[in-house]
Amino acid sequence: MNGNVVSKNSFWRRCIKQRYLIMMVLPGFVLMLVFKYFPMYGILIAFKDFNAMDGILRSPWAGLKHFQAFFDSPMSWRIIKNTLLLGLYSLIFGFPAPIVFALLLNELRITLFKRAVQTITYFPHFLSTVIIVGFVHEFASMDGIINHVMGWFGVDPVPLLNFSANFRSLFIGSSIWQELGWGAIIYLAAITGADSALYEAAVIDGANRWQRIRYVTWPAIVPATTVMLIMKLGSILSTDFQKVLLMYNPNIYETADVIETYVYRLGIMGTQYEYSSAVGLMLSLIAFVLITSGNYISKKVSENSLW
Amino acid sequence: MKRTIVLVISLLLIASLAMAGCSKGEDKPAAEDTGKTGEASEGTKEAGKDAPEAGAEPEVIKLRAFQSSFGEDPSNTGLYKAWLEKMEAHIGKKLDIEWTYVHSDDYPEKLKLQLASGDVPDILSGTKDAEIMFQFGNQGALLDIAPYIDEYAPNYKKFLESTQYAEKTLQTPEGKMFFFGDGFQNDTGMVDSAYGSLYRFDIFKKHNIKVPESWEEFYDAAVKLKELYPDVYPVNAQEWPPFHETFYYTNHTKGDIYWNGEKFVYGPTEEAFKEGIMYVHRMYKEKLLDPEFLTQSQDQLKQKVTTGKSFMIPFAWLGWWEQYSIPEQGIEWGAAILPKNEKYGEPWMQGAALPGLTAYPNYGTMISAKTKYPEIMVQLLDYQYSPEMIDLMTWGIEGMNYEVKDGKRVRIMDPSEEVKNAKLEWYGEGVTRQGFVFAPQNHAPDVSGYKDMPFYGKGQYESLNPFVGTGKFHSGKSAIPTWDLAPVIRLSKEDEAKKAQVMTAVKTYLDENLSKFILGERNFDEWSAFQDELTKIGDYQSIVDSMNELAIK
Amino acid sequence: MKTYNEGLGSRMFDVFNYALMVALCVIMLYPLLNTFSISLSDPDLIAQGKISWYPQGFTIDGYSFIFQSNDLLRAYKNTLIYVLVGTVLQLLLTSLFSYPLSMGNFVLRKPLTIFVIITMVFGGGLIPTYMLIRNLHLLDTLWVIVLPGALSAFNIIIFRTFFQEIPKELRESAYLDGANDMKILFRIYMPLSKALLATFALFGAVGFWNMWFEAMIYLNDMRLHPIQMLLRRMIVELKDMNDHGGLQRYVEMHNVNPKNIKMATVIVTILPILFVYPFVQRHFVTGMLVGSVKG
């Protein structure tokens, strides 16, 4: 622990000293090695002309052909842009929502009410995408609730899903609606880590509501929040493509068409594992870069980081 | 206590790692080797079992069948027993079949996994995408049945002979055949379909409006209904088939590359195509068409048509009529054939039932290249194409599943207790297919399964079976779309991928702009500019040319 | 109860907060209530879009149709086994793995963290995974459901983060008392992390409850199928009939409506798992840490 210069010798000595800890890690390590790492040779498909009878390793190499194919498409930049923007907006609006909700929930003082709210808000998580999108269609229709509310402000009803400008807000809004309560659970768990002695001290010191949140509750959830944020960065590009597929129509391709829906429409996934692997690998690489840089930034500005 | 649990788990995991280590060795050369070991061990097992008659053909044929299923497990039914009896009699051997049923929604995914991982059961159902069968066939996973046809498949041969362009459609350019095409038998003497237009007959009768027979009449009827019901959008459309596709059939064009009877052409460049889009735009602009027709779900549509918000659907599966009608409230939906466009002649039919015997290139049945008994597998599948087997599998057993009335066979829709107890009823009501899926389908019992509905044609309201109605008001073979009789061109894996890439980009741009033209976001003055843009998105013409080259060859 | 200083601003905030929560409850309750109402309503009224908050034209046809199936109980039993075994295994392995990672001086801390993060981003895809599972002879076993997903990078990182928040002093004083790391984990860390364990027990249980893709890919034997697969099968069956025109005949014969069945299916699948949360919530109590430090 002390001593900045760690020689090879002392590395092994530390290993032996911590053998008990290493044994604790072992089962998980083996499990991940077998089920996560071993199949990774499948990534090679992206660089091969896959032939089922030859298997992945023996199929002939194809170089970067399949990556090239993706970028050759005149649509590739648009679908990359749409994927990125949808992920970015989801992060900007979807990430803070459950945190704010958890903080507000924590301020409720009637325990029974608090529990009821918690339980009810987590319900929508359990409904399938198909059902949720069904509600989106219902709410966004000409006589749906959204047009109804807009009507109060003198806006004429329109089929909202006909316009590409509305797609992202409807998509992200409905996701927040579905996942708000569920997403808050982890922050509620983190809040329980807040030191109640500190809380009481703050009250005695005459701290107001805002100050208590700011200086007691918030610090308790910062570590979990930072870590969650970094990990969320990595999933920016993985859109819920089933949901997009159910929500979009050709008229709003301009904003709604994302990489995965486009590859789906390509319809060659059936036999061209190479192409979808290549696209998947690209997305993974970008995710990896995002996580790494997120971690780097977080390390610079706070002491919280993944590694 | 806890420590022991941990210990046990660690041991388990280490053991599993060891296993993984072992299998790693044989897994390195991946699919091929594992496939071989599997086969070898199977072989030894088999050999051990049949040791007494070594050398002789084994009496019991063991095989694995990997099947797409559409409901309950059919392998326990009376019809299955009858099927098995006939099969065994036909090949003169006992069958021991290990059935694996996978539900049709999950099937394509699992099939691909089976094929790609080199673990191929003896007999497999195909999927809608014939490309999968061709490509895995070319990779050597599937048996080439072409050499067996003459000797072992006399029944299937009849299907091949009566199918137009069967060679191009069902074979690779090298003449290999990797699957038995989905058989279709139509001995009703009619060319018919279950698609057409739906109208609120009670409203049309009430206001004495003529049920449209042409697009002009369609427009006039919509205008009149709008005058009578200003708050209503008289015309609506199904999610599928969409409104503008109606014109593929009435204007004889298509939104993609299609066979026009002589050669392949790209539909969207044709005037007939533009006309259709302009018609839809006009309906939308004059508020005759529900503005939500592009985005609504089936539930929303159903809500509108059952509450008097729409009276006309230009193109639909006619079976919807019953769910749209509410007799207690006097809401009556009925059918007519598609409106005619004089310029192009008789409308074509969606999903036309071709007459006679046809082998379709999708939904075939495949045989593993590794099967031990290729001849017997071919025989088994071929026998399903024989008249007596088609009868058994589609009509069932006389007195149980169907009866003969006036010399015609009619399905018994409400089976007796006896039939139910013998498990002789049709699972999923004719949807579940018996035997090796996909065995040939017979059109007549299907027709017999639809009930009569209100139908309008030639100035008269009648009550007709939808198939009978469409058959009656169309003039037979000339109503079959040219693309239903087209040669299906098989490209190499690489060219197929290239085609998909070009055409998906083109189609994306097309679809997106079609709705812009329809909704008035783009003006039809820009149509020729739009055609240029389309060319720039992807070189569809070169694809059309290469297809024509292969078609003519 | 604690005493708070009650300013006007604070009261205003309370009013706003409670109002907001009530509003949220209303919009979050709607989808479930609507689904529930449709499952119990008359098909014609459903078709006309008249059902919103409560059932009309009461019918239980959808439910009786589902409960006809003999496989239902077996599927529930399977799901229960997968949920229990899977969740326990997940919590145990994740705790074991995360505890050393949470220690600043653990020699493999950084390499192992990166080892874990990589699995979050990269994967080999379905074909090699399927071949691995097949070669391990895990097809059609319980293990294929519970083992491959027992450890996820997300869980490990969150566990590690929570464990890091537990004061080092606790561990150090336990060392002095002669406790080893295993003991510290089970006797000190896990009891202190009840909220965390409860949360991830819930996440795990819900995950295994909802799981169907793995079951679809790796379980050919329908007798091993969980409830999600069974109900999926029913829905697929209905859909196929719809596509092929057999539905009307079916509906007439069995006198049921597909919409009733679909929504009843949803209710039957999610209701049991919904009731887990209230039990989990009890562990979300602040200040547990403090008590243990003092005691």
Side-chain angles (χ1 to χ4, degrees), chain B residues 184-195 337 346-356 358 360 443 447 455 465-482 484-485:
Chain B
F184 182 76
Q185 173 184 316
N186 177 5
D187 51 15
T188 61
M190 266 205 283
V191 180
D192 49 24
S193 137
Y195 287 82
I337 63 166
E346 188 186 356
W348 288 343
M349 277 187 236
Q350 144 76 26
L354 305 189
T358 313
Y360 282 105
H443 190 47
V447 172
F455 215 109
N465 181 301
F467 282 105
V468 176
T470 50
K472 184 174 171 183
F473 300 116
H474 278 287
S475 60
K477 277 191 166 178
S478 58
I480 302 171
T482 46
D484 279 359
L485 298 169

Side-chain angles (χ1 to χ4, degrees), chain C residues 83-293:
Chain C
V83 165
L84 285 177
V85 178
T87 310
V88 169
L89 209 61
Q90 203 175 54
L91 289 183
L92 197 66
L93 287 172
T94 310
S95 304
L96 277 176
F97 196 91
S98 311
Y99 171 78
L101 283 194
S102 73
M103 295 168 60
N105 65 343
F106 180 45
V107 58
L108 298 175
R109 179 185 154 98
K110 195 169 168 179
L112 274 183
T113 310
I114 292 172
F115 175 85
V116 166
I117 299 283
I118 285 176
T119 67
M120 189 161 86
V121 182
F122 295 99
L126 207 49
I127 305 174
T129 313
Y130 179 83
M131 280 162 57
L132 170 75
I133 302 273
R134 196 184 62 200
N135 294 339
L136 291 175
H137 300 286
L138 293 179
L139 288 180
D140 283 323
T141 62
L142 159 76
W143 303 109
V144 71
I145 302 297
V146 297
L147 274 186
L151 280 163
S152 80
F154 179 83
N155 292 6
I156 291 172
I157 298 296
I158 297 291
F159 265 59
R160 190 203 69 177
T161 310
F162 271 69
F163 284 166
Q164 274 171 356
E165 294 301 299
I166 295 174
K168 268 206 301 273
E169 295 77 21
L170 280 178
R171 198 173 69 224
E172 276 154 13
S173 67
Y175 279 142
L176 291 178
D177 293 343
N180 61 32
D181 285 303
M182 199 68 94
K183 211 173 211 166
I184 295 172
L185 172 63
F186 284 106
R187 295 277 161 77
I188 300 175
Y189 273 54
M190 295 201 21
L192 281 180
S193 311
K194 269 193 187 149
L196 172 77
L197 292 174
T199 305
F200 279 81
L202 176 75
F203 285 4
V206 170
F208 284 111
W209 184 275
N210 286 335
M211 173 227 42
W212 63 268
F213 186 78
E214 288 78 2
M216 169 191 107
I217 296 288
Y218 300 119
L219 303 179
N220 281 327
D221 187 347
M222 290 194 188
R223 283 168 305 179
L224 295 171
H225 278 180
I227 188 83
Q228 298 280 3
M229 276 301 279
L230 179 80
L231 295 173
R232 208 177 125 74
R233 229 158 71 200
M234 284 188 186
I235 298 219
V236 170
E237 198 177 324
L238 283 175
K239 202 191 104 216
D240 271 319
M241 280 190 281
N242 217 346
D243 292 350
H244 294 78
L247 188 63
Q248 286 160 31
R249 275 171 266 149
Y250 192 83
V251 168
E252 270 162 32
M253 260 180 75
H254 298 263
N255 201 18
V256 283
N257 184 277
K259 196 85 194 184
N260 283 142
I261 300 173
K262 246 188 242 170
M263 293 309 178
T265 307
V266 175
I267 297 297
V268 167
T269 15
I270 68 175
L271 219 52
I273 195 78
L274 283 187
F275 288 113
V276 175
Y277 194 38
F279 295 99
V280 169
Q281 264 184 346
R282 292 195 313 202
H283 299 285
F284 288 5
V285 185
T286 33
M288 281 193 336
L289 194 57
V290 190
S292 81
V293 176

Side-chain angles (χ1 to χ4, degrees), chain B residues 374-446:
Chain B
E375 296 86 3
I376 294 176
M377 297 302 132
V378 172
Q379 271 183 308
L380 288 174
L381 290 182
D382 173 68
Y383 191 46
Q384 296 200 130
Y385 289 80
S386 69
E388 67 263 33
M389 274 307 231
I390 294 179
D391 253 21
L392 175 72
M393 286 192 284
T394 57
W395 278 113
I397 296 164
E398 185 170 356
M400 298 273 201
N401 307 107
Y402 70 93
E403 55 200 350
V404 180
K405 276 185 189 162
D406 316 326
K408 274 177 101 183
R409 287 194 274 198
V410 183
R411 281 177 60 168
I412 301 173
M413 299 304 279
D414 196 7
S416 64
E417 279 307 307
E418 183 203 353
V419 172
K420 279 185 186 166
N421 291 338
K423 287 213 161 193
L424 264 172
E425 58 184 316
W426 294 355
Y427 274 92
E429 292 311 289
V431 171
T432 296
R433 292 165 153 207
Q434 300 287 339
F436 297 118
V437 185
F438 294 86
Q441 258 189 316
N442 190 358
H443 190 47
D446 239 14

Side-chain angles (χ1 to χ4, degrees), chain B residues 39 76 132 164 205 276 299 317 346 399 438 471-472 487 524-525:
Chain B
E39 199 185 10
N76 224 345
I132 291 174
Q164 206 166 0
K205 283 177 192 160
D299 283 345
W317 174 60
E346 188 186 356
F438 294 86
K472 184 174 171 183
F524 279 92
D525 300 344

